[in-house]
Amino acid sequence: MILLGTVALIGWAAITIHDFFQDMAGGPIRTAPEYHERDIKTRQAGKRAVAQLPAEVGDPDHFEKGPGSTSCVDDFGFDDIGVTRDQPAYKWDLSFSGRDAYLTQLKEIRTAWEHRGWKVRDVAPSDSGPGKNLPGITTTDQDGITITLTPDPYSVGMRLTTDGGCIRHQSEVDPYFVNEASDSMTPARTGSATYSDRVKITAGPVRHFTPSTGASGYSPGKHAYRVAVTVTNESNYTLDMSEGHHWGSDDSNDNDEVRDPHLRSCPRELPTGKTADCEFAFTTPNEASQLRFSFSPSHYHKPASWNLTTR
């Protein structure tokens, strides 16, 4: 019994010490997909809250990324290469018809949040500025995301913000290539890659392209090529494609992206189990036999690249 007690005590001490240093370092290191999912949940929490307000007050789909906290940094050098810190945060600008309308909605939102079992806390009124003496409220939802409704300290309007907290995470999701076009000088008609979170992309084929009259990035005398891209989301979270990356070039490196309203754009978000077809176009000064094309489906996915034939 004494031996078992000693072993248990040592194990408890080891876990406690590990947790202490982990907390001191800024918490556990999440995977890039885990952070990506947290970012999506933080945005969706705000969209749901704004959707509860009258339509004239605000648009759930009209939001900006918030600045987060300036303390979400690695002050002591705990983060290794490939590890970073981010704080998912978003802001919605709201417009109420007047003070009474705002206070009425504030009361209704408080009641709705409390009905869900969320603890609602008061935000002290500002003693200066356009929102002077107007109160606000804040809560934490079932996912641990902070939601706050307050007067905007810098304007006559109101704002709703969401904050997912400071998170240590791997910088990017690595792609696992399944097509030789990614590392071969011999171009292929198509290239494909599967990421560790089961997001799959296929690029190609490349086709000659005649931009429409309303296209930008194209000038007469240049050649234009269109690249088809298919993205399939088999991950367990909604894929945020609003900040993906793409580019194309030939050997001249004198290339521009063509923006044409007739090309199929990628959606801002791709739900689990869904597929999206997109198109991108680029110019070359001379007729090209191959195009080097790179694509990442989101800000958190490392770009995959292929040599694609244009013939």
Side-chain angles (χ1 to χ4, degrees):
M1 292 294 292
I2 295 175
L3 179 60
L4 289 175
T6 302
V7 171
L9 182 62
I10 292 173
W12 173 83
I15 293 174
T16 300
I17 292 172
H18 174 269
D19 291 345
F20 170 78
F21 281 105
Q22 191 175 74
D23 290 342
M24 184 177 176
I29 299 174
R30 309 297 183 183
T31 65
E34 286 175 328
Y35 176 80
H36 190 68
E37 183 175 8
R38 183 69 171 178
D39 186 56
I40 289 287
K41 285 184 176 181
T42 302
R43 183 166 65 251
Q44 289 177 336
K47 293 176 70 172
R48 286 192 298 267
V50 175
Q52 295 174 346
L53 299 169
E56 66 272 13
V57 170
D59 183 353
D61 293 320
H62 188 226
F63 55 86
E64 299 177 5
K65 280 199 170 183
S69 172
T70 56
S71 62
C72 188
V73 293
D74 180 22
D75 290 325
F76 302 102
F78 286 108
D79 296 345
D80 295 326
I81 295 175
V83 176
T84 189
R85 301 180 189 218
D86 284 300
Q87 185 171 359
Y90 290 89
K91 181 185 76 168
W92 285 257
D93 291 324
L94 308 176
S95 177
F96 293 90
S97 59
R99 177 187 180 92
D100 291 341
Y102 169 70
L103 293 175
T104 297
Q105 288 299 317
L106 194 71
K107 183 178 180 180
E108 292 182 2
I109 291 177
R110 177 193 290 273
T111 301
W113 288 352
E114 290 177 340
H115 183 71
R116 294 177 185 156
W118 301 349
K119 183 178 180 180
V120 181
R121 301 173 297 278
D122 291 317
V123 176
S126 173
D127 57 4
S128 62
K132 182 179 179 180
N133 297 327
L134 281 176
I137 56 174
T138 185
T139 189
T140 302
D141 71 5
Q142 71 280 356
D143 295 315
I145 295 167
T146 301
I147 310 173
T148 304
L149 176 62
T150 59
D152 191 320
Y154 307 107
S155 73
V156 296
M158 309 294 170
R159 67 179 181 181
L160 185 139
T161 61
T162 57
D163 182 354
C166 184
I167 302 172
R168 299 173 75 203
H169 64 94
Q170 296 171 351
S171 302
E172 295 177 303
V173 186
D174 291 327
Y176 294 91
F177 296 105
V178 295
N179 185 279
E180 291 183 357
S182 63
D183 53 14
S184 172
M185 294 305 295
T186 303
R189 281 180 52 79
T190 61
S192 59
T194 300
Y195 288 82
S196 57
D197 58 353
R198 294 183 295 136
V199 170
K200 300 178 181 180
I201 55 178
T202 300
V206 179
R207 305 289 189 190
H208 285 271
F209 174 59
T210 301
S212 66
T213 304
S216 62
Y218 174 77
S219 56
K222 286 195 172 185
H223 296 261
Y225 298 91
R226 177 173 56 191
V227 186
V229 175
T230 298
V231 183
T232 301
N233 182 16
E234 295 183 2
S235 71
N236 59 359
Y237 58 89
T238 298
L239 183 66
D240 179 6
M241 299 185 65
S242 62
E243 294 186 6
H245 303 282
H246 58 270
W247 58 92
S249 65
D250 67 343
D251 292 337
S252 71
N253 289 321
D254 181 18
N255 312 107
D256 293 306
E257 181 177 2
V258 179
R259 300 191 179 276
D260 192 311
H262 293 91
L263 295 174
R264 291 175 294 180
S265 301
C266 289
R268 287 176 60 91
E269 296 181 353
L270 186 63
T272 300
K274 298 297 184 179
T275 296
D277 293 315
C278 318
E279 292 178 309
F280 305 95
F282 305 91
T283 64
T284 62
N286 303 299
E287 187 171 1
S289 61
Q290 65 182 30
L291 193 73
R292 184 70 174 175
F293 179 69
S294 297
F295 179 81
S296 64
S298 82
H299 177 66
Y300 306 107
H301 288 77
K302 187 176 294 184
S305 299
W306 305 272
N307 290 318
L308 301 175
T309 180
T310 62
R311 298 169 181 172

